[in-house]
Amino acid sequence: KNTLWILFLHFLAFKFINMIQVIIYNLPLYRIASYPTLFSDNGWWILYTVVGVSIPILTKMVLKSASDFWSMKK
């Protein structure tokens, strides 16, 4: 049901974790662009898994709600 959304957006969602790691480890900002992950050891993989699935699903839910809202207004 949500497979395509997860497939299309999970690498983009990983960038949020990369940004957190750049801030925590005081790295240069260009490291956010690391593909697909910056650090995945020491438990970071758990956060990548949760964010890589939840952000795409939340994005789908928000866009669907917005679409339903605008279609009801018409």
Side-chain angles (χ1 to χ4, degrees):
K1 191 172 177 180
N2 296 314
T3 304
L4 286 177
W5 283 91
I6 294 170
L7 179 70
F8 292 147
L9 296 177
H10 75 279
F11 284 126
L12 185 61
F14 287 170
K15 298 306 168 191
F16 291 112
I17 307 305
N18 289 358
M19 185 172 54
I20 292 169
Q21 290 175 340
V22 162
I23 292 168
I24 289 174
Y25 296 120
N26 198 24
L27 299 170
L29 287 177
Y30 73 85
R31 296 292 302 266
I32 294 171
S34 297
Y35 180 81
T37 62
L38 184 54
F39 302 116
S40 59
D41 54 347
N42 296 328
W44 283 106
W45 65 272
I46 297 169
L47 195 55
Y48 277 113
T49 302
V50 170
V51 169
V53 173
S54 62
I55 294 289
I57 292 173
L58 289 172
T59 302
K60 177 189 174 191
M61 290 170 51
V62 167
L63 291 175
K64 176 146 177 39
S65 295
S67 174
D68 291 346
F69 175 76
W70 288 109
S71 65
M72 285 182 5
K73 277 194 124 181
K74 290 183 179 184

